[in-house]
Amino acid sequence: MDGKEGESHIKTQVLPVDVNNIGEFVFHEPEKSFLGHWDVQLRKDSHDAANLLQAVKRLQTSSLPVAFPTETVYGLGADATREDAVAGIYKAKQRPADNPLIVHISSLTQLRRLLSSSSAPGLDGTHPGDTRQDPIPAIYHPLISRFWPGPLTILLPLPEPSPLAPSVTGTLSTFGVRMPSSRLALALIHLAGLPIAAPSANASTRPSPTTAAHVLHDLSGRIELILDGGPCSVGVESTVVDGLVHPPVILRPGGVSLEMLRQCSGWEHAEVGYRDGAETGVPRAPGMKYKHYSPTARVILVHGPLSLQLLTKHLGQRRNVGLATTKTWGVGGLPASGAYVTAPTLEGEDTLRRFTIQNRTAESSFATANINGQRDKPDTAQTYTNGENSEDPDTINVVSIDLGTETASIAQNLFSALRELDLQGVDVIFVEAISATEGHAAAAVMNRLRKAAELEIQP
C-alpha cells in the first residue's frame, strides 16, 4: 500500500536515527536506571538528534501519528491525551474502534502522574516522608522491578477523571501501559513529555512490522513520519497481564513467559486468560478479539514433518508455495529442485509437475527504507525459482525461508518471513510449528501463528 489513491497527498518521510549518536543518557540518584529519574542530553551537532526532535514536535502538535521502533515491534504513536491524535492512529491503521491501545511511558514518575496528581513515590508503595499509597497497585511492583523497561504491559484502573483520550480505552474501565526498553523509544517519549498511545505500526490484520520498511509498505501515504532505528530485537508484541483479578492472568502472550511471571511474588498462580483464536465480546487487551498477523496468502500451521504428500494435498491447484521452517524441516522432506513429482494440475488431475525450490532470507526484498521514503523491492509480487520454465502453470514453485532453530530467532524473524513470502507472490504458506513451551517467546509465536492460520494440522 504505497500511497493508495486518495491518500497520496500525505508524503511519508523516513528518518534514520542511531540512538548511540543522539547524545548522553543521564541517570540520577537513587535508582540510576530508567525506573528512576533520568534525562537525555542531546548533541547539538547530531543529525540523529535532529531527526528525533522532528518526531517529538509532531507528537506534540500533529494529529497524524508517528511510527517508531521499540524492542518488540514498530509502534504507531500519538499523544494519548488528545482525542484527535489518537483518532489518527485508528484512521491510519483502519483499526476497529473497540480494539484498545497500549500507553507507553518513559518513567514511573510519568505513570504516577497519569494515575494521580500527587508526587512520585518509591516502589515500596509510599511517598517518602508520609503514608499516602502508591497509585500503582502493589501486585505489579515485583513485575516492574524485574521486567521494566521491557516487553510487559500491565492493566491498571482508569483514573477518574481520566487524563487519557476516550478512544484509548473505549468502554473499558482499565488501560494497558508499558515502559519499552528501546532507548530510542524511551528518548522519544521522554522528550515529548507525553504518554504515547501506540499499537503496532501496520495496517490492521497484517503481520506486525519489525523494520521501518515494513511500516512504509503498509502505511505510506497515511502517515508523515517513520523513525528508522533498525530492526526490532524481540519481534513479537509485549505480554499483557491483568493483576487486578485473582488469580492474575495473561491476556496476551509476548516476550515475558508465564513461567517467568510465576517466579514473581504474588504471581505464583498466574493463569492463561486468552485463547489463540479470535474471541468475542469487548476485548480487554489488544490482539484478543480480531484476526491478526495475517499475510495475503493462506497460512497453514503444521505440527510434525513436512512431506510432498502433505504439501500437494493442501496445495491443490495452486502452484506458488511458501515455507517458513524452524526446528527440523529444512527442505529435507521434499524433492530436489528441478525434479518432477506426481501432483494435481490446474485441472485437478494427477500428473508429473516440475518442482523448484528457492531459499531466501526474511528480508530479501525489504531493503532498509531510506530518508526519501523509498526502498528497493519488486514492482509486483513475484516468485523466484532456480528451475527453468518456472512460469509453466504446472510447475510447483517453492520459496523457503529458515526462521532459525532457537525460539528467540524464530520470534524475531516470523513477521518478516510472512511479509517476504507475500512479496514473493505465494498462494499458500506452510509454517513449521514449535512447542509453546520451548523458550520465553514460544507461546507468543504460536499464538500469533494460530491467529494468522486458516488451518492447523496436527500429526
Side-chain angles (χ1 to χ4, degrees):
M1 277 174 269
D2 304 309
K4 295 286 188 181
E5 185 176 353
E7 298 171 333
S8 57
H9 63 285
I10 299 177
K11 181 180 178 180
T12 302
Q13 189 176 22
V14 181
L15 299 181
V17 177
D18 183 344
V19 72
N20 295 313
N21 294 333
I22 65 172
E24 181 182 2
F25 289 85
V26 179
F27 301 97
H28 304 290
E29 299 288 353
E31 295 92 345
K32 289 190 174 181
S33 74
F34 286 111
L35 289 180
H37 297 282
W38 65 276
D39 199 0
V40 57
Q41 298 174 351
L42 297 179
R43 287 173 44 191
K44 294 182 179 180
D45 61 344
S46 168
H47 291 294
D48 298 274
N51 287 346
L52 177 61
L53 287 175
Q54 286 195 50
V56 168
K57 182 177 180 180
R58 281 183 168 87
L59 286 173
Q60 292 172 332
T61 61
S62 177
S63 60
L64 292 176
V66 170
F68 64 96
T70 75
E71 74 280 13
T72 57
V73 299
Y74 271 68
L76 188 62
D79 179 357
T81 67
R82 278 195 296 124
E83 182 64 21
D84 65 324
V86 175
I89 295 176
Y90 286 93
K91 181 179 180 180
K93 283 178 61 73
Q94 298 180 350
R95 181 183 177 93
D98 66 345
N99 201 3
L101 304 177
I102 291 173
V103 176
H104 294 65
I105 47 96
S106 61
S107 69
L108 293 180
T109 298
Q110 186 182 37
L111 176 56
R112 291 186 172 104
R113 285 172 180 162
L114 271 181
L115 296 172
S116 69
S117 58
S118 53
S119 60
L123 267 180
D124 59 358
T126 61
H127 293 253
D130 66 33
T131 59
R132 286 180 291 176
Q133 289 298 304
D134 186 347
I136 303 174
I139 186 66
Y140 290 123
H141 292 182
L143 303 190
I144 290 172
S145 295
R146 180 170 177 182
F147 300 119
W148 274 14
L152 179 72
T153 295
I154 62 175
L155 250 61
L156 293 172
L158 193 63
E160 290 290 345
S162 172
L164 299 176
S167 293
V168 172
T169 58
T171 60
L172 298 176
S173 60
T174 58
F175 73 102
V177 63
R178 86 176 185 100
M179 183 189 297
S181 65
S182 162
R183 290 190 301 152
L184 177 51
L186 288 169
L188 176 69
I189 300 166
H190 176 79
L191 292 169
L194 301 165
I196 302 299
S200 55
N202 56 315
S204 187
T205 78
R206 296 283 295 156
S208 296
T210 55
T211 69
H214 296 165
V215 181
L216 188 65
H217 184 264
D218 279 15
L219 301 182
S220 179
R222 300 186 188 187
I223 62 176
E224 290 179 329
L225 183 61
I226 302 169
L227 286 185
D228 184 356
C232 302
S233 59
V234 176
V236 291
E237 297 85 353
S238 63
T239 301
V240 180
V241 298
D242 185 356
L244 305 177
V245 297
H246 185 77
V249 296
I250 293 182
L251 296 179
R252 183 181 72 183
V256 177
S257 68
L258 178 61
E259 291 70 26
M260 295 166 70
L261 290 169
R262 285 177 172 171
Q263 295 173 10
C264 297
S265 176
W267 292 79
E268 296 87 351
H269 303 291
E271 297 179 351
V272 170
Y274 63 87
R275 295 186 305 177
D276 284 335
E279 302 186 24
T280 59
V282 178
R284 296 163 62 193
M288 294 186 72
K289 182 176 180 180
Y290 296 96
K291 183 179 180 181
H292 280 70
Y293 322 116
S294 300
T296 302
R298 184 187 188 208
V299 175
I300 298 177
L301 180 61
V302 181
H303 297 257
L306 178 68
S307 66
L308 178 63
Q309 180 182 14
L310 184 148
L311 187 149
T312 56
K313 175 183 177 181
H314 294 282
L315 178 62
Q317 299 177 15
R318 303 176 183 91
R319 69 183 189 92
N320 298 324
V321 185
L323 302 181
T325 71
T326 58
K327 303 282 186 179
T328 63
W329 276 8
V331 291
L334 299 178
S337 186
Y340 283 85
V341 300
T342 300
T345 66
L346 292 176
E347 289 74 33
E349 299 177 356
D350 283 350
T351 188
L352 286 178
R353 297 179 66 179
R354 185 175 174 84
F355 194 88
T356 67
I357 297 177
Q358 171 71 29
N359 293 311
R360 298 183 69 81
T361 67
E363 287 298 318
S364 295
S365 296
F366 281 103
T368 301
N370 66 31
I371 196 167
N372 296 316
Q374 304 296 319
R375 69 202 180 285
D376 296 324
K377 76 172 187 65
D379 292 331
T380 57
Q382 54 184 310
T383 298
Y384 295 85
T385 61
N386 287 327
E388 297 178 0
N389 302 320
S390 61
E391 297 303 317
D392 186 331
D394 285 342
T395 296
I396 298 174
N397 304 312
V398 177
V399 181
S400 179
I401 294 179
D402 182 10
L403 303 184
T405 58
E406 299 298 323
T407 302
S409 67
I410 294 169
Q412 187 176 29
N413 293 323
L414 174 62
F415 291 137
S416 289
L418 294 178
R419 285 177 172 271
E420 174 65 20
L421 291 170
D422 247 1
L423 262 187
Q424 296 306 309
V426 302
D427 304 304
V428 59
I429 301 172
F430 293 84
V431 183
E432 180 182 4
I434 64 173
S435 169
T437 60
E438 294 181 7
H440 298 325
V445 168
M446 289 304 294
N447 171 263
R448 305 315 191 263
L449 285 174
R450 286 181 171 128
K451 286 185 177 293
E454 292 185 19
L455 178 65
E456 182 171 2
I457 300 175
Q458 300 288 344

